[in-house]
Amino acid sequence: MRKILKLCLLTTVYLLLLVMLSLVLAIYWSNTLIQQQSKALEIEILDWQFPKFEPHQIYLEQLKLRYQKNYQIRVNGLKITSSEALLKTAQNLVHPNRTSDAGISKLNIEHLQIQLLEPLTPSNNAQPVPINSLIKSIQQQLMELSNNSTYNLIPKNIDIQELTFLLPCPSSTLEQCKISSKLTIQPKLNLENLSGTIKLQAHDTEYPTLQVRSEADFRLPLKQPVNTSQFSFNSQFVDPKTIKLKVSAQTQSDATLTTLKVDTETLSDFPQVTEINPANKLQHAFSDDWQKLFDMYHRWSPFQINIQQLASQISPFLPAGSFSIEKPEFKLSTQTQIPLSSLLNASIQDLTQRELSTEFSAQINRPVTLPNAASVSGSLKGNVTIHNNQVSSYSIQANAVATDFIKPQWFVEQNWTFDTVGFTLHSKQSFEQKSSKQLPFKLNLYSLPQTKTSTSSMSIEGKGLISLEESPSLSVEKAHIKLSNTKLKLNPQIAFKNLQAKVDLTAQLNLMGGDIQINQAIASTKLIQKQHSLAINQLQINHLNIHIPEFKNLTDSLSLNAQTLTLDGDYINADLKLQQLTTTLKQLQVQNDHQHEKKLSVQYQTNVGTLTHQQLKPQSWQTTGTLSSTFKGLPDSINAIQFIKLKGELQNTSGVRADYLANLTPKEITIDWNLADQYLLAGNPIKKTLVNWPKLFNLSSGKLSANGNLTLNPQALLTDKPFSLLDAIKAQSHLEFSGLDGIYNETAFSQLDLTAKLQLEKAQLHTDVTALRVQQLNHGLIVGPIDVIAQTQTPIENWRATKIILQKAEVGIFEGKAHLGSKIIHLDKEIHGNLHLDNVNLQALLLQYPTAELYGTGRLQGELPFSLNLTNQAQKTSVLRIANGEISASKSGGILQYQANSAGLKQIHKSMETLLTVLEDFHYTILDSQVSLDEQQKLRLKLRLEGNNPKVENGRQVNLNIQIEEDLPALITSMQITNQINSTIQQRIQEKLQKERGLKPIQ
């Protein structure tokens, strides 16, 4: 279109000059000469009228002609005014050597119409003519005019009151487009230059409110190079209600180069779209003002647009408003510089092949609504260089702010509070040695406002490359992400407080998938879930590679691997506290198999500086091992996990060490564990670990071994309903003690061996003691060995309700045996039983009695009915009672010898002299004893003896009834002190006696 207008304008001016020359020559020459000139210029004069001729003026009523068979020109009301008589002016043509200033001072045309009869089509055979050559041709003709004074015929002022162009509309050759304009030209030609001013006002007659106003100043040297020409141009395209476009151009020269600088400025509001509803079918349409603008575009452009479809597509983006030149919603400015020499050396046909460098800027002052997204406003600036119709280099910088963006539900639920996002985008590229489809960029995306009171913030800084090759791709060379949220909620149960995260990554992405490498990610937060709290002082990920073969199948195709992941923090819940917690994951891998399953493997190490639990003593713990897992999709729930396997080792600073193997499925968690052999000669790591290890229970040697397994239903952990963890656990273990030596309270034992199986199910602990043997036990009386076989059933939450199924209970005592028969014992009830004594050596019994005055022989047997009450809460100790116990010697009898240490005893107790003499060597045939023990722990013996002393009264028969009463605890204490016992037990006994007597312990 611009080419047609330029050509029409140049043709009009040139023809006007020819017409003026023809009119003057007509006075002196014949019509034959006129016809010859017209034919040479391919001009066919169709009609003309010459009504007036005056000395200083010529008035042409009408002139109609055809130029090159395709242009039809009609002139109405042409008036030529000369500063001198027209005859004198004409004489200058006949005598060109005469010098005179006579010429045409003004050319007025009331109406000039130029009609293009057929659309212009480029000729395939036409050779491109450089603009430089065209201008040189004009220079040559102007110089010829100036040399023969013909230039005086050029009007000093040309005023075309109405200039009309008629041509087939570019959009349709069947429709005529009409441009109406007003043109003023003030040329000035001398021997050196052609200069002047051109003013033009134009509009499409169908749309008179859309105005074009232009003004140009020019200077064309006649004797200097063309590239020294000067030119300035200002034009405006204005519609009062839609748009204002300003275009200005001027030449600029320095010492080495002359350039043409072109500036444009576009001011506009966004188009307004209204909804229409014909036949109950919702449609969109532009407002009348914008519809007219698009209609005019359709008239002048061969490229058509579906206006209704465009209105529907962009309507969600457009804000409502009215156009104001003072405060437009949209502003676009460009500045283009073209080397004049490059421009002049190009032909009109290949003008676009030349290099153009343009600077541009755009400003959106009123937010544009992105449907279901946000409202966006901002600015864009940069420059672009075009060569051979292709971009050879560019630089773009965009700044924008998005407000009121639509927040997805998860965004709100996670407590991301900002609703404004700003971003800066910069891209710069030169395509001289690189592909024009490789576009680098720098991006800065950040949340607003970023103030100290903001509860959450986000920023992303990165640079990379967008490839628009056959397979488009995005390469992120470097990206830095920062996230901050004072209370991030993943779901109603899990929240992160004071989250701070930094991520450095690179990426290679295409339409199918891609790779993301997180070089380093550092985060700190506090995770809270009901009664659980994990304070993460630092979470660091190094070299995490994420591979995504298919975006459309992200969860199934994603795989990743990481070099290290380290967590430092503290964990607290109602029962457990982990301080200085450090977890390190190495060689983390997530791979896919052919069944769309993911396989995870990782090495882990966890160190706890101080682990605190009500059942454990505070100390350091450490675990190392490997984890492997198989799951589908993302492991966001327990049901997505097919299995998890952990195999590792657990130990603490006290020396407890155990191996474990854990397996997790959606229906079951199993843990197999094996406690490393604990050798107690160097210390007792179990005692150093457990808080409730009995204070008075010491082990000095021996070996402890244990292993077992645990089963748990994970669904029970996920339910919101109250439940007992013990109800969900099943556990089994195997214990082995061998060669244990130690002390419990005031009792020493040695060579204790135990084999037992424990089973926990439904909060019930079942114990199967398959073998318990204690080689020796010393509690004042030395007994042993002890053998026990039993089973127990214990409710974990009420151990007093323990049930004991006793199969065997035997103890070696005084070279004989004491045993209980098989029975069932309930600890929450009073226990009743009979202790059977077999073949007890009286001599061995008396040896342990704390006196050296009594000696005896014989074998004893008997039964001691007893009751044991463990439910008496009033007393802290259990209550043992014996009622009607009987002990008797074997029929073979035996000897009792009592030697009083003091000879004066007989002198003091004359009544007992005979008895004491008899007892010095008493041979008994009957020894019966009744035994009882009351609640005050008073032991009473009713002893009946029958026999004789062969040395007294010829062995006369003697029957004795003796009653003995002893405080059993005191007796046992006396026996403990007398016998050789452990120094620890001696100290405990002394402390007990001092406490009973109200004395302070000896320091």
Side-chain angles (χ1 to χ4, degrees):
M1 181 62 194
R2 290 194 299 270
K3 295 179 181 179
I4 295 173
L5 292 176
K6 288 179 181 179
L7 185 57
C8 291
L9 184 59
L10 291 173
T11 303
T12 302
V13 175
Y14 190 66
L15 288 175
L16 287 173
L17 294 176
L18 292 174
V19 169
M20 289 184 293
L21 289 174
S22 298
L23 290 174
V24 176
L25 290 171
I27 303 173
Y28 298 101
W29 290 286
S30 65
N31 289 334
T32 303
L33 182 59
I34 294 176
Q35 293 175 357
Q36 292 176 351
Q37 292 287 336
S38 300
K39 186 176 181 181
L41 296 172
E42 297 185 66
I43 296 174
E44 178 184 358
I45 299 177
L46 303 177
D47 185 24
W48 69 323
Q49 295 179 9
F50 201 175
K52 293 182 181 181
F53 179 76
E54 297 177 0
H56 292 274
Q57 190 178 84
I58 297 176
Y59 182 79
L60 182 64
E61 179 68 25
Q62 179 177 317
L63 173 63
K64 189 176 181 180
L65 54 88
R66 183 181 289 115
Y67 173 64
Q68 292 185 347
K69 297 182 180 181
N70 198 30
Y71 298 95
Q72 186 165 296
I73 302 171
R74 188 179 68 188
V75 181
N76 293 100
L78 185 147
K79 183 189 295 185
I80 300 175
T81 304
S82 176
S83 58
E84 295 187 9
L86 287 172
L87 181 59
K88 184 177 181 181
T89 301
Q91 289 175 348
N92 290 328
L93 293 174
V94 181
H95 305 283
N97 293 327
R98 294 174 57 185
T99 60
S100 172
D101 294 330
I104 298 175
S105 59
K106 189 172 185 179
L107 171 65
N108 285 348
I109 298 177
E110 294 177 6
H111 184 203
L112 172 61
Q113 178 178 295
I114 303 174
Q115 182 178 3
L116 180 65
L117 300 178
E118 297 290 341
L120 291 176
T121 56
S123 175
N124 295 330
N125 299 324
Q127 295 296 323
V129 180
I131 298 174
N132 197 9
S133 299
L134 294 175
I135 297 178
K136 286 182 177 180
S137 176
I138 295 173
Q139 278 183 317
Q140 184 65 32
Q141 295 181 42
L142 291 174
M143 288 180 65
E144 292 178 359
L145 288 175
S146 63
N147 290 333
N148 58 26
S149 301
T150 308
Y151 68 89
N152 286 327
L153 294 178
I154 297 178
K156 297 179 175 58
N157 187 18
I158 301 173
D159 187 4
I160 303 175
Q161 297 177 13
E162 184 178 359
L163 174 61
T164 302
F165 292 93
L166 284 174
L167 68 160
C169 293
S171 61
S172 173
T173 57
L174 300 178
E175 182 182 0
Q176 288 286 318
C177 284
K178 183 178 180 181
I179 298 177
S180 179
S181 60
K182 182 179 180 181
L183 177 64
T184 301
I185 305 174
Q186 295 176 340
K188 184 178 181 181
L189 178 65
N190 55 36
L191 298 177
E192 301 293 333
N193 301 288
L194 171 65
S195 59
T197 300
I198 301 174
K199 296 180 180 180
L200 174 68
Q201 294 185 8
H203 64 271
D204 188 327
T205 56
E206 287 290 322
Y207 307 99
T209 60
L210 305 177
Q211 295 284 334
V212 176
R213 295 190 290 267
S214 301
E215 183 175 340
D217 294 321
F218 62 90
R219 185 187 71 84
L220 177 63
L222 303 182
K223 300 180 180 179
Q224 296 180 8
V226 176
N227 58 8
T228 61
S229 302
Q230 295 180 356
F231 173 78
S232 65
F233 172 80
N234 290 282
S235 181
Q236 292 187 9
F237 175 82
V238 179
D239 176 44
K241 296 184 178 180
T242 57
I243 193 169
K244 182 178 181 180
L245 171 62
K246 297 180 181 179
V247 181
S248 63
Q250 62 179 357
T251 55
Q252 294 181 340
S253 301
D254 56 23
T256 59
L257 183 65
T258 300
T259 58
L260 178 64
K261 179 183 176 185
V262 181
D263 296 318
T264 69
E265 182 182 77
T266 305
L267 306 175
S268 172
D269 268 3
F270 297 105
Q272 297 183 43
V273 175
T274 58
E275 292 183 355
I276 57 177
N277 197 13
N280 296 324
K281 184 177 181 181
L282 181 63
Q283 297 179 358
H284 293 83
F286 287 103
S287 60
D288 293 342
D289 299 325
W290 281 95
Q291 186 65 43
K292 289 179 181 179
L293 194 62
F294 284 113
D295 289 344
M296 191 184 76
Y297 167 81
H298 277 174
R299 284 168 55 83
W300 292 96
S301 174
F303 305 104
Q304 300 299 293
I305 299 174
N306 188 326
I307 299 300
Q308 181 177 316
Q309 182 179 359
L310 176 64
S312 299
Q313 290 174 344
I314 70 173
S315 61
F317 299 88
L318 302 177
S322 58
F323 177 59
S324 170
I325 294 296
E326 290 74 19
K327 295 183 179 180
E329 294 175 348
F330 177 78
K331 179 180 179 181
L332 173 64
S333 301
T334 67
Q335 184 180 91
T336 305
Q337 292 191 357
I338 309 171
L340 193 57
S341 59
S342 174
L343 178 64
L344 295 176
N345 289 329
S347 64
I348 295 178
Q349 289 86 345
D350 67 356
L351 184 60
T352 56
Q353 307 296 318
R354 297 297 160 171
E355 182 176 286
L356 301 177
S357 178
T358 301
E359 295 183 0
F360 58 87
S361 64
Q363 181 74 38
I364 301 177
N365 298 318
R366 188 172 184 179
V368 176
T369 302
L370 303 179
N372 299 322
S375 297
V376 179
S377 62
S379 63
L380 175 70
K381 65 178 181 179
N383 62 74
V384 60
T385 300
I386 300 175
H387 186 70
N388 292 332
N389 277 333
Q390 292 186 349
V391 176
S392 60
S393 66
Y394 74 90
S395 176
I396 298 175
Q397 182 170 336
N399 297 277
V401 174
T403 60
D404 302 325
F405 61 85
I406 306 301
K407 301 178 182 177
Q409 186 63 29
W410 64 265
F411 193 90
V412 177
E413 292 174 350
Q414 291 185 6
N415 198 43
W416 294 101
T417 56
F418 57 84
D419 57 3
T420 302
V421 175
F423 76 85
T424 299
L425 175 66
H426 181 249
S427 181
K428 184 179 181 181
Q429 178 68 298
S430 175
F431 302 114
E432 294 178 357
Q433 297 179 348
K434 299 179 182 179
S435 170
S436 61
K437 297 181 180 181
Q438 302 287 333
L439 307 179
F441 69 89
K442 291 182 180 179
L443 174 67
N444 183 13
L445 181 68
Y446 51 89
S447 61
L448 294 171
Q450 291 180 325
T451 63
K452 294 182 180 179
T453 59
S454 299
T455 60
S456 62
S457 64
M458 171 272 300
S459 68
I460 301 174
E461 296 180 6
K463 65 177 183 177
L465 188 69
I466 299 175
S467 176
L468 302 178
E469 302 288 348
E470 183 176 350
S471 177
S473 64
L474 169 65
S475 173
V476 180
E477 179 183 342
K478 183 179 181 182
H480 184 64
I481 302 173
K482 290 184 180 180
L483 298 174
S484 175
N485 196 326
T486 57
K487 191 173 182 180
L488 173 64
K489 296 180 180 178
L490 287 187
N491 56 49
Q493 289 77 34
I494 301 177
F496 291 91
K497 282 190 174 181
N498 300 322
L499 171 67
Q500 301 287 336
K502 298 179 180 179
V503 180
D504 292 323
L505 60 84
T506 60
Q508 297 287 337
L509 306 174
N510 54 44
L511 297 179
M512 293 291 295
D515 295 278
I516 301 173
Q517 181 177 23
I518 298 178
N519 301 313
Q520 187 179 73
I522 299 176
S524 63
T525 185
K526 186 174 184 180
L527 187 151
I528 300 175
Q529 182 187 23
K530 294 182 179 180
Q531 298 180 350
H532 303 273
S533 173
L534 174 61
I536 301 176
N537 301 325
Q538 179 171 293
L539 172 65
Q540 181 169 330
I541 303 173
N542 292 325
H543 302 295
L544 171 62
N545 299 310
I546 303 173
H547 178 57
I548 308 172
E550 296 180 346
F551 286 124
K552 65 180 181 180
N553 196 19
L554 176 64
T555 56
D556 291 333
S557 64
L558 180 143
S559 63
L560 59 87
N561 64 82
Q563 187 179 68
T564 58
L565 185 152
T566 304
L567 183 149
D568 294 328
D570 300 282
Y571 170 80
I572 299 175
N573 68 13
D575 302 319
L576 181 65
K577 181 187 292 186
L578 307 179
Q579 296 174 287
Q580 299 176 349
L581 169 67
T582 300
T583 296
T584 301
L585 304 181
K586 295 182 179 180
Q587 299 181 9
L588 172 65
Q589 289 188 344
V590 176
Q591 303 294 335
N592 295 290
D593 63 11
H594 299 294
Q595 300 178 351
H596 301 289
E597 294 180 343
K598 288 186 171 55
K599 295 187 180 296
L600 180 148
S601 62
V602 65
Q603 299 177 5
Y604 62 87
Q605 177 175 331
T606 297
N607 296 304
V608 180
T610 304
L611 185 151
T612 305
H613 187 271
Q614 60 183 359
Q615 301 295 334
L616 301 173
K617 292 182 179 179
Q619 61 184 299
S620 174
W621 288 77
Q622 178 181 335
T623 180
T624 59
T626 61
L627 181 150
S628 59
S629 175
T630 297
F631 55 91
K632 288 188 176 182
L634 296 176
D636 53 354
S637 69
I638 190 69
N639 293 321
I641 301 173
Q642 294 185 322
F643 85 90
I644 297 177
K645 178 181 178 181
L646 293 95
K647 184 178 181 181
E649 179 183 272
L650 176 69
Q651 60 183 352
N652 64 11
T653 52
S654 297
V656 173
R657 184 173 61 85
D659 300 325
Y660 58 86
L661 175 63
N663 291 281
L664 182 149
T665 68
K667 296 182 179 180
E668 187 177 69
I669 297 175
T670 62
I671 302 175
D672 296 320
W673 56 272
N674 180 52
L675 180 69
D677 292 344
Q678 304 292 307
Y679 295 94
L680 306 177
L681 187 62
N684 184 357
I686 307 296
K687 180 180 180 181
K688 295 176 183 177
T689 299
L690 300 177
V691 170
N692 291 328
W693 181 273
K695 183 179 180 181
L696 301 178
F697 185 35
N698 295 337
L699 296 174
S700 57
S701 63
K703 184 180 76 171
L704 289 163
S705 300
N707 60 71
N709 61 76
L710 178 148
T711 302
L712 171 66
N713 182 0
Q715 301 296 336
L717 301 176
L718 303 178
T719 181
D720 294 331
K721 298 180 181 179
F723 78 102
S724 172
L725 182 61
L726 293 173
D727 292 333
I729 291 179
K730 293 181 180 180
Q732 293 181 346
S733 61
H734 179 78
L735 304 179
E736 285 191 7
F737 304 161
S738 57
L740 297 187
D741 294 344
I743 299 170
Y744 178 69
N745 198 359
E746 298 170 5
T747 303
F749 59 86
S750 61
Q751 295 300 305
L752 184 151
D753 298 326
L754 170 68
T755 301
K757 294 179 180 180
L758 285 75
Q759 182 175 350
L760 176 65
E761 185 173 2
K762 295 182 179 180
Q764 292 281 335
L765 178 63
H766 302 268
T767 305
D768 184 6
V769 180
T770 56
L772 170 61
R773 168 173 279 258
V774 181
Q775 191 65 33
Q776 187 181 82
L777 186 145
N778 185 352
H779 189 71
L781 294 177
I782 299 175
V783 299
I786 300 173
D787 291 295
V788 175
I789 298 175
Q791 292 84 40
T792 67
Q793 297 176 8
T794 304
I796 295 297
E797 297 179 352
N798 183 18
W799 67 268
R800 295 181 183 275
T802 297
K803 175 183 176 181
I804 301 175
I805 303 172
L806 191 63
Q807 294 181 343
K808 178 181 179 181
E810 295 181 354
V811 56
I813 181 170
F814 311 129
E815 299 180 3
K817 180 175 70 173
H819 63 92
L820 293 174
S822 299
K823 70 184 289 84
I824 297 176
I825 299 172
H826 296 274
L827 296 185
D828 58 349
K829 299 178 182 179
E830 191 171 37
I831 303 171
H832 297 274
N834 288 320
L835 179 64
H836 303 279
L837 301 177
D838 294 326
N839 200 30
V840 175
N841 188 339
L842 179 61
Q843 180 180 0
L845 187 153
L846 294 177
L847 286 175
Q848 295 196 41
Y849 192 77
T851 177
E853 300 174 348
L854 185 61
Y855 171 79
T857 64
R859 294 287 177 172
L860 306 176
Q861 57 276 332
E863 287 188 2
L864 298 177
F866 67 89
S867 66
L868 179 63
N869 187 359
L870 301 176
T871 63
N872 190 349
Q873 299 297 323
Q875 299 182 14
K876 294 184 179 180
T877 59
S878 58
V879 178
L880 175 65
R881 291 178 297 181
I882 299 175
N884 301 319
E886 294 184 355
I887 299 176
S888 61
S890 60
K891 295 180 180 181
S892 60
I895 299 174
L896 282 175
Q897 295 178 344
Y898 177 74
Q899 302 291 334
N901 291 333
S902 175
L905 184 60
K906 296 179 180 180
Q907 301 292 330
I908 298 172
H909 301 282
K910 292 291 185 180
S911 59
M912 296 182 64
E913 180 179 0
T914 302
L915 176 59
L916 293 173
T917 301
V918 170
L919 292 177
E920 286 177 355
D921 187 20
F922 185 73
H923 295 247
Y924 64 87
T925 57
I926 295 176
L927 188 156
D928 291 330
S929 176
Q930 293 183 352
V931 182
S932 65
L933 180 67
D934 62 17
E935 292 184 357
Q936 286 71 39
Q937 301 298 286
K938 295 294 184 180
L939 178 64
R940 294 181 176 86
L941 298 178
K942 293 182 179 181
L943 185 63
R944 182 171 69 89
L945 293 171
E946 293 184 4
N948 60 66
N949 187 333
K951 297 180 182 180
V952 177
E953 297 181 3
N954 298 320
R956 184 170 65 89
Q957 179 75 21
V958 177
N959 296 331
L960 298 174
N961 291 310
I962 303 173
Q963 291 190 10
I964 302 174
E965 182 175 317
E966 286 280 4
D967 185 320
L968 183 61
L971 176 62
I972 293 175
T973 300
S974 176
M975 295 173 67
Q976 289 175 323
I977 295 175
T978 302
N979 294 331
Q980 294 182 353
I981 57 174
N982 186 281
S983 60
T984 301
I985 296 178
Q986 287 182 345
Q987 182 179 354
R988 290 176 182 174
I989 293 172
Q990 290 174 358
E991 291 174 354
K992 182 182 73 172
L993 293 175
Q994 290 170 352
K995 185 176 181 180
E996 290 175 352
R997 297 168 183 170
L999 300 176
K1000 294 183 179 180
I1002 299 174
Q1003 301 293 327

